[in-house]
Amino acid sequence: MSKTPPKPLSEVEHIKAGSRLLRGTMAESLVDPVTGSIAPADTSLIKFHGSYQQDDRDIREERRLQKLEPDYSFMIRTRLPAGVCTPAQWLALDAISQKYANGTLRLTTRQAFQFHGVIKGDLKPVMANIHAALLDTLAACGDVNRNVMCNPNPVDSRVHETVFQWTTRLSEHLLPKTRAYYEVWLDGEKVAGGEEEPIYGPTYLPRKFKAAVVVPPLNDVDVFSQDLGFIAIVENGQLLGFNVAVGGGMGATHGDSATFPRLADVIGFVPPEQLLAVAENVVKVQRDYGDRTNRKHARLKYTIEDRGIAWFVAELESRLGFSLQPTRPFAFEHNGDRFGWLEGHDGRWHLTLRLESGRVADTGSAKLMTGLREIARIHTGDFRLTPNQNLIIAGVTPEARKDIDALAAAHGLEGYRLSSPLRLNALACVALPTCGLAMAEAERYLPRVVGLLEERLTAHGLQNEKILLRITGCPNGCARPYLAEIALVGKAPGRYNLHLGGDTRGQRLNRLYRENIDEAGVLEALEPLFASYARERQPNEGFGDFTVRAGHVGVPSTAPSPSR
Ligand code: SRM
Ligand code: SF4
């Protein structure tokens, strides 16, 4: 009997294996004066260092016709566990953006900062400046554990502070140990040998890996979309431990049914002191069993889908040497941000501002960049980036509130008070012109499409309904669209797939409702649904719940699905 030959490893696996723990030929690429790009293999490796090579897609064709190489530049993403930074760090990042990037900051859906438009020759100074601000970009991208998310309002209660500390410990624990980052970017001493990656091994993970910690009842991190989630269980103000959730993910490819978004399974409970061991061993199971032959099938969700959740738990427990305890009850209320001022347990105040698509820029009368710079100059607390691309000015004394309010009002930062609920909660990924994978606009399209939907909702008396809209320029799912009540997923320029039926707690995947439609098609498809929602909804029924109950979409899958 002939045996089927093993499938070949993907190209990126060979690049990682030959990279000497992520060094590759990066040092040479950075000083090559002939091109604004880096060597092809280094474009894979630089991701582990927190950067992507991109080109300006708005002028790609024009440059091609002029026989010029694409207008290369780099996106740089920070690592910022739970999205927390100081005012001094904010000012440092602002200064980097003015000097070396496109003069804007972009707050991401994973509570990090992105710079866009950094040219190759400026990469090292940017990395050095980020380091000088006591921040880094290591493992912000690449086949490793990415930025660890957590509810960004940890001072909300004492338990949040403890959970925040576990989040930073988790982030540190899963960081790559290679010194390559320091050698390449910070002229660190060359390591002669003997260097190891005790958790990842020399070829790291088969694919990106994402983790989040969450304190119910708020699910702003969308914990069921993560490869690994820890759900804090709190009783009488004490942290008892965490339910563990595994195997969530959003990414999919149009027309490829072997790829799909998936909600994480809740597999048990652990006390806090077991969190790091569980995380490490979840990573190691995925390291050893994840598919290294096909990157579209390499996330933990596929490992679990293929082998079964029972297999996964058994493998995890045999590595841990102990069993997970039965899952504890928990309940989420919503997955959005809480806008405006909120008082913390220590008498300090936290102001959540709305930043459309997380873009911090000075445009027209809205001087968000300047306004936040002015706030950073007087603020004595910290800044917290939310998982919904917004910003919390945290830890404000009662006396300082009026100064912050005055600066917010003077610089067009009052969207949190003035926007419709639809606009407040809408997310859009970056998409064009920087994202190399975008098929349609997202961030640049959001203002227009929200305006059109606001008109239609108002016509039906629905202007005060909080409907969760998310837009992405392709099916990769960077704004977690498959959890939205209404999602537009880019298919081609000006054309989107319309998904309906998510909830507002991040616990239900939506369903494809219309495929490949243009703006008129989107409005036409939603109009009768808004009309019947206005007429037939039950008290307090959300739009997503209505579309499911009324049978407009099939019954989508729902979390939590405790496996034990
Ligand atoms: Fe993402 C790739 C932007 C959160 C799923 N994502 C990209 C790239 C790097 C495009 C690329 O590979 O060339 C985008 C860069 C655009 C640009 O110009 O800046 C990009 N992703 C983003 C951000 C900036 C979106 C935003 O508007 O905020 C988010 C950065 C988060 C961070 O700080 O780390 C971002 N990406 C996400 C999320 C949401 C999350 O993590 O909570 C997801 C869905 C969750 C998941 O991973 O399943 C997500 N991004 C992807 C995927 C699909 C992965 C998959 O399993 O199929 C890709 C494509 C890929 O990896 O091949 C991708
Ligand atoms: Fe780019 Fe697609 Fe992610 Fe949007 S969803 S940032 S278009 S990869």
Side-chain angles (χ1 to χ4, degrees):
M1 227 169 57
S2 68
K3 262 175 96 186
T4 332
K7 287 194 207 148
L9 293 176
S10 70
E11 176 61 20
V12 179
E13 291 302 320
H14 295 291
I15 293 173
K16 288 185 280 187
S19 74
R20 296 171 297 119
L21 299 186
L22 307 180
R23 289 169 177 84
T25 56
M26 209 107 70
E28 293 81 358
S29 275
L30 290 178
V31 292
D32 177 356
V34 173
T35 167
S37 69
I38 57 177
D42 292 332
T43 61
S44 291
L45 297 175
I46 199 170
K47 297 179 186 178
F48 292 76
H49 299 245
S51 179
Y52 276 72
Q53 178 175 301
Q54 304 184 317
D55 71 286
D56 184 343
R57 293 186 56 187
D58 284 348
I59 54 168
R60 193 184 269 179
E61 183 56 12
E62 184 188 318
R63 297 200 41 115
R64 193 185 65 78
L65 292 174
Q66 289 172 357
K67 300 202 170 12
L68 294 169
E69 74 169 12
D71 184 24
Y72 290 118
S73 67
F74 292 78
M75 175 269 271
I76 298 177
R77 188 183 286 166
T78 61
R79 184 175 63 89
L80 202 68
V84 179
C85 73
T86 64
Q89 287 170 331
W90 181 281
L91 290 172
L93 298 177
D94 173 337
I96 292 169
S97 166
Q98 308 310 321
K99 184 159 180 197
Y100 299 110
N102 67 358
T104 76
L105 286 171
R106 180 57 156 68
L107 314 193
T108 74
T109 51
R110 290 195 71 77
Q111 303 179 275
F113 290 96
Q114 281 189 184
F115 300 103
H116 288 104
V118 177
I119 58 166
K120 183 170 85 170
D122 286 340
L123 278 171
K124 276 184 84 163
V126 170
M127 297 302 212
N129 278 294
I130 291 174
H131 183 71
L134 306 181
L135 292 169
D136 65 61
T137 66
L138 176 60
C141 322
D143 297 344
V144 281
N145 179 56
R146 306 279 188 97
N147 197 39
V148 183
M149 296 168 78
C150 178
N151 309 86
N153 221 343
V155 280
D156 217 20
S157 76
R158 283 177 185 85
V159 166
H160 276 84
E161 283 177 35
T162 313
V163 169
F164 168 63
Q165 282 155 17
W166 279 108
T167 304
T168 50
R169 289 181 68 181
L170 175 58
S171 171
E172 290 300 312
H173 191 73
L174 295 181
L175 264 189
K177 302 292 180 279
T178 174
R179 300 294 299 165
Y181 183 83
Y182 304 93
E183 272 180 30
V184 173
W185 305 112
L186 304 167
D187 296 326
E189 214 178 299
K190 302 264 182 300
V191 175
E195 208 187 8
E196 271 185 14
E197 284 289 5
I199 296 181
Y200 293 113
T203 50
Y204 297 85
L205 294 180
R207 202 64 162 88
K208 56 173 70 163
F209 185 93
K210 298 182 173 178
V213 188
V214 67
V215 188
L218 195 59
N219 186 21
D220 50 5
V221 305
D222 282 328
V223 70
F224 299 110
S225 70
Q226 312 282 332
D227 294 270
L228 172 62
F230 288 102
I231 303 167
I233 303 297
V234 181
E235 220 174 78
N236 301 324
Q238 296 299 316
L239 177 68
L240 301 186
F242 301 91
N243 283 339
V244 181
V246 291
M250 292 278 102
T253 302
H254 286 313
D256 179 355
S257 60
T259 66
F260 44 83
R262 184 180 191 278
L263 296 176
D265 294 271
V266 183
I267 58 171
F269 169 87
V270 290
E273 59 277 11
Q274 289 178 347
L275 179 144
L276 296 182
V278 168
E280 177 175 330
N281 284 286
V282 169
V283 164
K284 285 177 169 170
V285 176
Q286 167 63 358
R287 176 197 68 191
D288 296 343
Y289 289 95
D291 185 348
R292 290 182 185 262
T293 67
N294 175 5
R295 287 183 67 79
K296 287 195 174 167
H297 185 253
R299 294 290 292 271
L300 176 62
K301 63 181 175 181
Y302 300 117
T303 314
I304 290 178
E305 201 62 31
D306 292 350
R307 293 171 180 265
I309 193 69
W311 168 87
F312 182 84
V313 174
E315 179 65 29
L316 175 65
E317 289 182 340
S318 84
R319 289 174 187 237
L320 284 169
F322 60 81
S323 298
L324 306 182
Q325 298 174 31
T327 299
R328 306 269 173 110
F330 63 95
F332 286 118
E333 282 170 8
H334 68 102
N335 63 347
D337 288 337
R338 294 168 290 187
F339 292 97
W341 285 104
L342 279 176
E343 189 177 6
H345 68 85
D346 55 359
R348 291 188 175 244
W349 289 80
H350 314 292
L351 174 63
T352 305
L353 296 171
R354 167 72 183 148
L355 298 176
E356 199 152 81
S357 301
R359 186 67 70 178
V360 183
D362 283 351
T363 45
S365 60
K367 306 279 184 224
L368 310 192
M369 195 88 198
T370 307
L372 289 169
R373 187 182 306 136
E374 294 302 322
I375 289 176
R377 285 188 178 135
I378 62 158
H379 183 37
T380 53
D382 53 33
F383 286 88
R384 289 160 196 249
L385 281 58
T386 83
N388 292 306
Q389 303 173 324
N390 295 313
L391 181 68
I392 304 177
I393 315 294
V396 179
T397 60
E399 306 75 57
R401 277 183 58 176
K402 61 174 186 334
D403 301 331
I404 304 270
D405 274 337
L407 287 172
H411 294 90
L413 281 160
E414 286 193 307
Y416 74 96
R417 291 202 303 112
L418 308 173
S419 304
S420 69
L422 180 79
R423 189 176 295 271
L424 265 184
N425 292 289
L427 297 185
C429 71
V430 179
L432 294 161
T434 51
C435 178
L437 306 177
M439 299 168 174
E441 297 282 355
E443 180 182 327
R444 295 195 296 198
Y445 183 48
L446 181 134
R448 175 179 164 85
V449 76
V450 167
L452 292 170
L453 293 176
E454 280 171 342
E455 267 174 35
R456 298 320 310 146
L457 288 169
T458 305
H460 294 287
L462 295 170
Q463 63 280 4
N464 296 324
E465 295 308 314
K466 191 178 150 190
I467 297 177
L468 184 57
L469 169 73
R470 294 180 174 179
I471 308 172
T472 56
C474 85
N476 281 315
C478 298
R480 301 185 288 272
Y482 308 111
L483 291 167
E485 294 180 287
I486 303 176
L488 299 179
V489 175
K491 186 91 204 255
R495 303 190 79 85
Y496 298 85
N497 284 355
L498 172 63
H499 292 245
L500 299 177
D503 62 11
T504 52
R505 295 180 297 159
Q507 295 195 166
R508 191 171 63 219
L509 290 176
N510 54 27
R511 282 283 177 95
L512 179 62
Y513 182 71
R514 291 280 185 277
E515 202 168 347
N516 196 17
I517 51 178
D518 61 9
E519 182 176 279
V522 170
L523 297 175
E524 203 179 298
L526 288 173
E527 180 66 20
L529 296 177
F530 288 162
S532 47
Y533 177 55
R535 269 194 325 265
E536 296 157 21
R537 72 194 145 138
Q538 295 177 345
N540 300 322
E541 187 176 35
F543 181 68
D545 292 345
F546 167 77
T547 56
V548 174
R549 180 182 59 78
H552 296 295
V553 291
V555 182
S557 57
T558 307
S561 52
S563 315
R564 25 197 284 137

